[in-house]
Amino acid sequence: MESVSLDQSASVDELVEACIKAFDNEGVLNEPSLVRIFLTMHPWYLSSSDLAKKLLHKSQEQDCSAIRQSQICHLVKYWISEFPAEFDLNPALAEQIRGLKERLEQNGDVRRSLLIDIDSIPSYEWRRQLDETVQKKRKTSLLFDHLDASTLAEHLTYMEYKSFCKILFQDYHSFVMHGCTVDNPILERFITLFNSVSQWIQIMVLSKPTAQQRATVISEFIKVAQVNPTHSLAYILRHVICLQQGPKVSDHIEDLGIQNLI
């Protein structure tokens, strides 16, 4: 197969071949979307170790020309540069790629071996460590009366970003394959954050004794969602919809003029 487009089916071998041919001898990438999507999604049907084995095998074939060698090395270089955490957190994979580099050096192919810089990958382990530091106790408040919508949205966004940036594709893959968060503390912590914010919103609403007061609280949270709709809108709308089941609250939401926002 000469080329693979994003709107057609292809076997794993065809996709690997298409990714190799996406690079020219100088490392110019002609099909960036295809290569990036494949390298991102390949663990669903091919482990990274097996992918590395395929690339190593193809580079050792008798009919592997110098140009094809360069294409394979440029693909590996791109893989390392765009997905460094995968190599840092998978020592076996890094060792396989290091083997490819050493084989090139043994064959006197120093120029291509320099393309594979496996030893300068930064460590990502610190980013995934769960914070267990016991902080000094201080007075805190669950109330948001003293915070405007913009400030509260900023706080929620920061908490979510700090947790979300630790999640890797492998965490999602593990959750789908096992159906639970066992041995997946990073994703488990993120889910806990989601549930905690949801419960906090529920508490803030239900702590008010009257329907009108509860509707006012709901309107405040909707304003937060409007400031930055990319973070906790799911938390907010989930509870707004549930709480609308009460006719009195629903009536007051209409009185506040925010019914069109939910």
Side-chain angles (χ1 to χ4, degrees):
M1 175 178 275
E2 292 299 323
S3 62
V4 175
S5 63
L6 295 177
D7 60 349
Q8 71 180 98
S9 61
S11 66
V12 172
D13 288 334
E14 288 171 339
L15 288 170
V16 173
E17 190 65 28
C19 287
I20 293 174
K21 293 181 178 180
F23 293 87
D24 65 13
N25 187 42
E26 300 300 323
V28 177
L29 179 56
N30 299 313
E31 296 288 345
S33 296
L34 172 65
V35 176
R36 186 167 188 83
I37 290 173
F38 176 74
L39 292 178
T40 300
M41 303 304 294
H42 76 270
W44 290 112
Y45 39 83
L46 179 72
S47 69
S48 295
S49 294
D50 287 340
L51 175 56
K53 288 179 183 177
K54 280 183 176 292
L55 295 175
L56 180 59
H57 175 72
K58 288 179 179 295
S59 70
Q60 294 175 332
E61 293 175 342
Q62 290 184 352
D63 60 345
C64 185
S65 64
I67 293 178
R68 185 170 173 79
Q69 283 273 10
S70 295
Q71 290 175 313
I72 293 174
C73 290
H74 282 299
L75 174 57
V76 173
K77 177 184 177 181
Y78 180 87
W79 190 9
I80 295 172
S81 64
E82 295 299 315
F83 303 91
E86 189 168 354
F87 295 86
D88 177 59
L89 300 175
N90 188 346
L93 174 62
E95 195 60 34
Q96 285 179 291
I97 299 301
R98 190 173 287 107
L100 172 59
K101 179 181 178 68
E102 292 173 353
R103 192 188 68 80
L104 291 170
E105 292 174 344
Q106 292 171 0
N107 293 337
D109 197 346
V110 179
R111 184 176 67 85
R112 293 188 181 89
S113 70
L114 292 175
L115 296 174
I116 305 174
D117 190 7
I118 193 68
D119 295 317
S120 62
I121 296 175
S123 174
Y124 285 79
E125 191 61 36
W126 67 272
R127 290 180 57 183
R128 291 172 57 78
Q129 290 178 352
L130 298 178
D131 187 8
E132 297 179 355
T133 305
V134 178
Q135 298 181 350
K136 184 178 180 180
K137 291 185 178 180
R138 58 182 180 180
K139 292 183 179 181
T140 58
S141 173
L142 288 176
L143 300 178
F144 58 88
D145 298 0
H146 62 294
L147 298 176
D148 58 30
S150 179
T151 303
L152 184 54
E154 183 178 343
H155 288 329
L156 291 173
T157 301
Y158 175 75
M159 287 193 302
E160 192 171 70
Y161 168 77
K162 189 176 180 181
S163 182
F164 186 77
C165 68
K166 295 180 180 181
I167 303 175
L168 297 178
F169 177 85
Q170 292 89 327
D171 298 315
Y172 297 118
H173 183 262
S174 174
F175 180 77
V176 172
M177 299 303 293
H178 298 94
C180 61
T181 56
V182 174
D183 297 326
N184 196 342
I186 301 297
L187 193 57
E188 185 176 12
R189 178 65 66 88
F190 184 76
I191 293 173
T192 299
L193 174 64
F194 180 97
N195 292 336
S196 297
V197 174
S198 297
Q199 291 170 5
W200 173 63
I201 294 173
Q202 190 174 36
I203 291 172
M204 291 298 96
V205 174
L206 297 180
S207 65
K208 302 301 181 181
T210 68
Q212 183 175 6
Q213 290 174 320
R214 292 181 179 183
T216 301
V217 174
I218 292 173
S219 70
E220 291 300 317
F221 278 117
I222 291 178
K223 291 178 183 178
V224 172
Q226 288 180 301
V227 172
N228 189 350
T230 61
H231 61 81
S232 56
L233 184 61
Y235 311 143
I236 298 165
L237 296 187
R238 170 183 166 188
H239 290 288
V240 167
I241 292 171
C242 291
L243 292 166
Q244 276 193 96
Q245 303 305 316
K248 292 184 179 179
V249 174
S250 180
D251 291 342
H252 285 294
I253 287 177
E254 293 181 2
D255 292 340
L256 290 169
I258 61 174
Q259 68 275 12
N260 293 329
L261 301 178
I262 54 178

